[in-house]
Structure formats: C-alpha cells, structure tokens
Amino acid sequence: MLNFLNSLLGRHPDRVKANVEIYTWQTCPYCIRAKMLLWWKGVNFTEYKIDGDEIARANMAIRANDRRSVPQIFINNQHIGGCDDLYHLDRKGQLDDLLYLY
C-alpha cells in the first residue's frame, strides 16, 4: 500500500542513495521546512540537533564555509546550504539528481 502511495505521489524512497545530513534547531521554522521537503521526497537523513550547543555550531560552521545559520544541509558530504538553497535546487530540478540513483 505504501509503495502504491509513494508512486502515486511521485516519491521514490527506494531510489534514494544519497547520504544526507542536516544541522538543525528543533524550533527553527526553516529547519522544519527543509526536513519536510526531504521527508516528502522519501529521504532518510541524519539530523544533528545543535540547539544551544556552541561547540557543535562551530563544527558545523567549519563544514559549512563559516555559515552559522541553521539549517545547514550536506548531500554526500557536499555543502548544499540552507533551506532556501535546498528549495532552489528542487525548483530547478537539480535536487533529485543529487538524491536519486537512476
């Protein structure tokens, strides 16, 4: 049943082969929005909740080219950026190319 719904909705979780990591704060609306898009596409991702943890935030910034805002998203260890960057890739049709094995 779930496979039928996924195909009906254009989701292909069985084809997602990317390693996706996202740094978040629990109450951040942009973090929630980014996770919703990833969920909608059927992506299993690793979430690092860094609420108030300045050491974790500094480590994130090292990976994210000194960006300290959340979310910061990485696909296959490539820095994608934040929520707006993720949605921009999706609108341009480039996000699926990073996520799916065709």
Side-chain angles (χ1 to χ4, degrees), residues 1-14 39-42 44:
M1 176 71 159
L2 186 57
N3 287 336
F4 171 74
L5 288 175
N6 280 336
S7 63
L8 185 66
L9 296 171
R11 297 174 64 198
H12 306 284
D14 54 318
W39 173 83
W40 179 256
K41 291 189 166 288
N44 289 320

Side-chain angles (χ1 to χ4, degrees), residues 10-38:
R11 297 174 64 198
H12 306 284
D14 54 318
R15 293 193 333 217
V16 176
K17 301 300 179 198
N19 175 36
V20 179
E21 301 168 276
I22 180 170
Y23 289 83
T24 66
W25 279 26
Q26 274 188 298
T27 58
C28 164
Y30 295 102
C31 299
I32 294 166
R33 189 169 174 245
K35 290 188 297 184
M36 289 301 295
L37 177 58
L38 293 171

Side-chain angles (χ1 to χ4, degrees), residues 19-86:
N19 175 36
V20 179
E21 301 168 276
I22 180 170
Y23 289 83
T24 66
W25 279 26
Q26 274 188 298
T27 58
C28 164
Y30 295 102
C31 299
I32 294 166
R33 189 169 174 245
K35 290 188 297 184
M36 289 301 295
L37 177 58
L38 293 171
W39 173 83
W40 179 256
K41 291 189 166 288
V43 176
N44 289 320
F45 53 86
T46 302
E47 180 179 9
Y48 304 109
K49 297 177 185 173
I50 62 168
D51 301 64
D53 185 343
E54 283 304 313
I55 294 172
R57 192 173 200 169
N59 289 333
M60 174 198 75
I62 290 168
R63 287 187 73 193
N65 303 315
D66 292 327
R67 290 177 71 176
R68 296 182 52 83
S69 61
V70 288
Q72 291 300 319
I73 303 155
F74 296 83
I75 299 176
N76 293 327
N77 212 28
Q78 174 187 348
H79 182 233
I80 299 304
C83 180
D84 291 341
D85 301 308
L86 185 70

Side-chain angles (χ1 to χ4, degrees), residues 80 84-95 98:
I80 299 304
D84 291 341
D85 301 308
L86 185 70
Y87 273 83
H88 182 73
L89 282 173
D90 190 46
R91 279 191 305 275
K92 289 175 32 180
Q94 296 175 342
L95 182 58
L98 295 173

